[in-house]
Amino acid sequence: MQKRILFVDNEPSVLDDWKFNLEQKGYLVFPAGSPDEAKEWLKKERIHLAVIDLKLCDHSNKDDQSGLELAEEIDPLIPKIILTGFSSPETQRMALSPRYGGIAFDYIPKMEPPSILIETIEEAFNKEIKINFNLKVRLEEKLSSGTHLEDEKAFEFLLDAIKVKDEGEKERLKEELGEVFKKLFYSAEKITISPLSSRGYSKTGVVLVEPGRVNEGIFASRIVKFGPRKDIERESKNYNEHVKPFLQLRPTEIEEPSYTQNLGGMIYTLAGSRNPKTICNFREYYGNSKVEDIKTTLKELFKETCGMWYQNRGNKIDMELSEHYKKQLGCDQKKLDDALKKIFSEYKGKHLINFPGLNKDFLNPVVWIKDKDFHLSTFSCRTHGDLNGKNILVDEDKHPWLIDFFRTGYGHILRDFVELEADIKFNYLETSNIETLYEFEKSLVSPEQFDEPYSFKSPIEELNKAFAIIQDLRSLAHSFVQPCNDIYEYYIGLLYHTINMIRYPNIKKERLRHALLSSSLICEKLDKK
């Protein structure tokens, strides 16, 4: 990996001389004789630093500031050095003063010795760009060969999380992803990366990173999220606006994100965790823990860690829950129709459907939900917005931590609770026995009030476990909407999160059938309201 410089000057001899001099010092130089040529390089190459002549169009025109204009158009992530043979206090102020936008890292007259520009370039790499070009990278993963991956191979493996299909783009983004980590861990000499969970549906990845230095040993482990730059920028903004002021016990902290042209990364610090290396996501924790431990963890998550979100619910407002959940999940009617046709083509367009093993007809939820409106007076508050088990981490002391605030913002107060219930039912359960799942779901839609008793008992222990956890989850949800005791708005939110599952064809078909059955039973319940 080389330090990459865009050098823009309309004098060919200047370009040639500086290209030769800088390449002798190990830089990779992209020469451009005009703003248009510079923009072409920016489209197809990663650029770390731009050195730009002040006058790129007409040296004789005292008003020519085309270099400054080009600098303004270039990504703010790229530091700029303005180089000029026509230095003036006015153009220097325009390039450097915050009053004028602070376009440039520095402003250098051409009559200065060449060493000044070279020193300034190196200073820009050390103070602004801050890429650890010498960082040693090792990825430890349970591969079939039992080996590990290093440097470029490690980032090639991690790139799968971003779901890039084009091979040319993969090669470019692999190098960018390496730069993201080399920016995040600028002060380390080596890092060991461990994937924290299996790939999800989003175009982001989450890993555990153990940084260190040869003579100082291993530093505290960090959790890193990486993905498209716009997603990391949005998450950082959401964190500062909706999370940082409100999370209480064991808050997840985010360090300053790092970006490349297309990618970004951020470090989550779990302040107070004894040993981040032992952390796992909630899905893994759920599978290996007892019911009472899981209940304790969820109580801490909702009551203490992010309880202020739900407690600051304000007064009731009129909400159209159908539109709210469709917008949140991106599940408009066409997408649901297309998903049903692709996975269960036999149900397409039918008002009634049946399931093998169940001797009755059921409402087709995709047809039933069409054009449904659910206007309610309810509470809106800050919510996580994507509360599935991969975004809840649990440490060795059973304490919960939240990550992934990309969708965090205002929403229906029950939004997080219904999403976690859907995640438990359709991502954790292994049984495909449709008769037992029918009894399980029928029991879950039996109450009409939050505090109404309802029960379920099965020879399949994982269903008993899920039922107990869901009951407790609903009790936690009830505590934040009291004195309201009507559970129907919970069912409405649950319906949209449940029916949305059929849009993920990578899930086992048995689980998608379960989601369709569950959706149908909720529709029957709402139909009788």
Side-chain angles (χ1 to χ4, degrees):
M1 185 181 291
Q2 287 180 280
K3 299 175 180 179
R4 306 162 72 90
I5 297 175
L6 172 67
F7 206 107
V8 193
D9 198 298
N10 63 352
E11 294 186 50
S13 61
V14 173
L15 278 184
D16 291 342
D17 288 347
W18 274 112
K19 185 176 189 300
F20 176 80
N21 290 336
L22 290 172
E23 287 182 346
Q24 290 298 302
K25 294 186 176 296
Y27 295 101
L28 182 59
V29 179
F30 302 94
S34 67
D36 288 342
E37 204 173 331
K39 291 173 187 176
E40 285 302 311
W41 279 125
L42 289 163
K43 286 178 184 177
K44 60 187 180 183
E45 294 291 345
R46 288 185 352 272
I47 302 296
H48 297 139
L49 173 70
V51 180
I52 306 173
D53 185 22
L54 176 66
K55 294 180 182 290
L56 293 174
C57 296
D58 185 357
H59 286 172
S60 64
N61 182 355
K62 67 181 180 63
D63 295 324
D64 180 12
Q65 297 175 358
S66 49
L68 286 178
E69 293 166 2
L70 174 63
E72 282 186 298
E73 292 183 52
I74 293 175
D75 189 341
L77 184 69
I78 301 173
K80 297 95 181 169
I81 296 173
I82 300 299
L83 190 65
T84 180
F86 303 91
S87 177
S88 72
E90 180 187 1
T91 55
Q92 185 173 10
R93 281 197 305 271
M94 292 182 69
L96 300 177
S97 173
R99 179 179 176 185
Y100 295 96
I103 303 166
F105 174 75
D106 210 340
Y107 177 98
I108 301 176
K110 285 185 177 179
M111 68 276 297
E112 295 281 0
S115 60
I116 297 298
L117 177 57
I118 291 172
E119 289 171 6
T120 304
I121 287 172
E122 197 57 38
E123 185 182 9
F125 274 96
N126 292 334
K127 291 185 176 180
E128 292 289 319
I129 301 164
K130 300 182 74 170
I131 297 174
N132 188 345
F133 289 93
N134 298 315
L135 184 69
K136 299 296 182 185
V137 179
R138 176 186 177 101
L139 183 139
E140 294 182 347
E141 170 71 347
K142 295 177 181 178
L143 304 172
S144 57
S145 61
T147 61
H148 62 270
L149 301 174
E150 294 187 351
D151 299 322
E152 287 192 2
K153 288 292 184 182
F155 297 121
E156 187 175 339
F157 176 85
L158 293 178
L159 194 62
D160 287 348
I162 304 177
K163 298 179 173 61
V164 182
K165 295 181 179 179
D166 181 81
E167 290 301 321
E169 188 179 8
K170 274 186 180 180
E171 188 63 28
R172 179 171 53 82
L173 290 181
K174 177 181 69 176
E175 294 179 354
E176 282 199 41
L177 185 57
E179 287 187 7
V180 168
F181 279 82
K182 291 175 181 184
K183 285 184 174 186
L184 290 172
F185 296 97
Y186 182 72
S187 299
E189 292 179 353
K190 59 181 182 177
I191 59 173
T192 299
I193 303 173
S194 305
L196 198 56
S197 63
S198 57
R199 273 88 172 135
Y201 309 118
S202 68
K203 295 182 179 180
T204 58
V206 179
V207 295
L208 184 74
V209 178
E210 199 174 63
R213 297 179 68 87
V214 173
N215 295 324
E216 299 177 50
I218 303 302
F219 302 160
S221 298
R222 294 288 187 264
I223 291 169
V224 173
K225 179 179 179 181
F226 59 91
R229 177 175 169 179
K230 60 181 177 57
D231 292 358
I232 302 299
E233 287 175 334
R234 174 174 164 179
E235 178 163 356
S236 178
K237 179 178 180 294
N238 283 350
Y239 176 83
N240 288 319
E241 182 177 350
H242 298 297
V243 181
K244 190 175 181 179
F246 295 96
L247 287 194
Q248 299 179 95
L249 187 65
R250 278 173 279 279
T252 305
E253 297 175 357
I254 290 181
E255 299 180 19
E256 189 67 26
S258 291
Y259 302 105
T260 60
Q261 181 181 356
N262 298 289
L263 302 179
M266 56 181 24
I267 294 176
Y268 296 114
T269 301
L270 309 186
S273 176
R274 285 195 296 132
N275 184 9
K277 279 194 73 174
T278 64
I279 210 151
C280 64
N281 66 44
F282 182 75
R283 290 185 186 179
E284 296 164 326
Y285 171 73
Y286 178 98
N288 297 317
S289 301
K290 298 177 181 177
V291 168
E292 291 308 312
D293 288 338
I294 298 170
K295 287 182 177 181
T296 299
T297 298
L298 289 180
K299 182 178 180 181
E300 181 178 320
L301 174 67
F302 287 108
K303 288 287 192 177
E304 299 181 41
T305 304
C306 51
M308 284 190 71
W309 279 343
Y310 315 117
Q311 291 163 11
N312 290 325
R313 65 188 190 180
N315 297 319
K316 283 189 172 184
I317 61 171
D318 290 330
M319 288 186 72
E320 209 295 275
L321 290 184
S322 176
E323 286 305 312
H324 171 76
Y325 281 105
K326 284 179 182 178
K327 183 177 180 180
Q328 179 211 348
L329 297 168
C331 64
D332 59 37
Q333 190 64 37
K334 183 180 185 308
K335 290 177 180 177
L336 292 175
D337 286 339
D338 290 345
L340 188 69
K341 180 180 179 181
K342 184 175 182 179
I343 302 167
F344 299 106
S345 58
E346 66 272 26
Y347 298 152
K348 173 69 174 172
K350 294 184 177 180
H351 290 272
L352 296 177
I353 59 178
N354 52 65
F355 298 91
L358 300 178
N359 295 318
K360 64 166 287 188
D361 290 330
F362 295 84
L363 291 174
N364 184 338
V366 175
V367 173
W368 184 89
I369 207 170
K370 186 178 181 181
D371 300 326
K372 281 290 186 294
D373 293 322
F374 297 106
H375 287 277
L376 291 177
S377 178
T378 185
F379 297 108
S380 175
C381 65
R382 287 177 170 87
T383 65
H384 182 274
D386 196 11
L387 199 66
N388 62 70
K390 291 188 176 183
N391 293 332
I392 305 168
L393 303 182
V394 185
D395 65 21
E396 62 183 322
D397 298 316
K398 302 180 176 60
H399 297 309
W401 308 81
L402 286 178
I403 62 170
D404 196 339
F405 305 106
F406 177 74
R407 292 188 174 90
T408 299
Y410 285 96
H412 182 216
I413 192 170
L414 297 176
R415 168 175 161 182
D416 292 338
F417 300 91
V418 296
E419 177 166 21
L420 188 55
E421 175 174 331
D423 190 50
I424 290 170
K425 290 197 294 189
F426 310 117
N427 285 310
Y428 303 11
L429 299 178
E430 293 297 331
T431 183
S432 59
N433 186 306
I434 196 71
E435 294 91 343
T436 308
L437 289 172
Y438 171 58
E439 296 301 324
F440 172 75
E441 292 292 346
K442 193 165 64 169
S443 297
L444 285 173
V445 295
S446 61
E448 298 189 2
Q449 304 290 324
F450 270 110
D451 62 2
E452 182 179 324
Y454 58 112
S455 61
F456 171 77
K457 188 65 178 174
S458 169
I460 303 175
E461 195 52 44
E462 67 165 351
L463 291 180
N464 296 328
K465 179 179 182 178
F467 193 86
I469 298 302
I470 290 169
Q471 277 190 311
D472 205 62
L473 182 63
R474 292 179 176 187
S475 178
L476 288 167
H478 183 209
S479 70
F480 291 109
V481 296
Q482 288 180 333
C484 174
N485 196 28
D486 190 331
I487 199 173
Y488 276 85
E489 68 176 287
Y490 187 97
Y491 290 147
I492 293 168
L494 184 60
L495 171 60
Y496 283 95
H497 275 280
T498 300
I499 200 169
N500 191 54
M501 297 301 298
I502 69 170
R503 291 179 50 221
Y504 299 111
N506 292 331
I507 298 177
K508 293 178 182 177
K509 191 167 183 179
E510 294 82 1
R511 292 183 176 182
L512 297 178
R513 197 179 297 278
H514 175 197
L516 203 62
L517 172 63
S518 177
S519 301
S520 179
L521 292 176
I522 298 172
C523 291
E524 287 183 10
K525 188 74 174 183
L526 295 174
D527 204 39
K528 296 174 182 176
K529 180 68 172 176

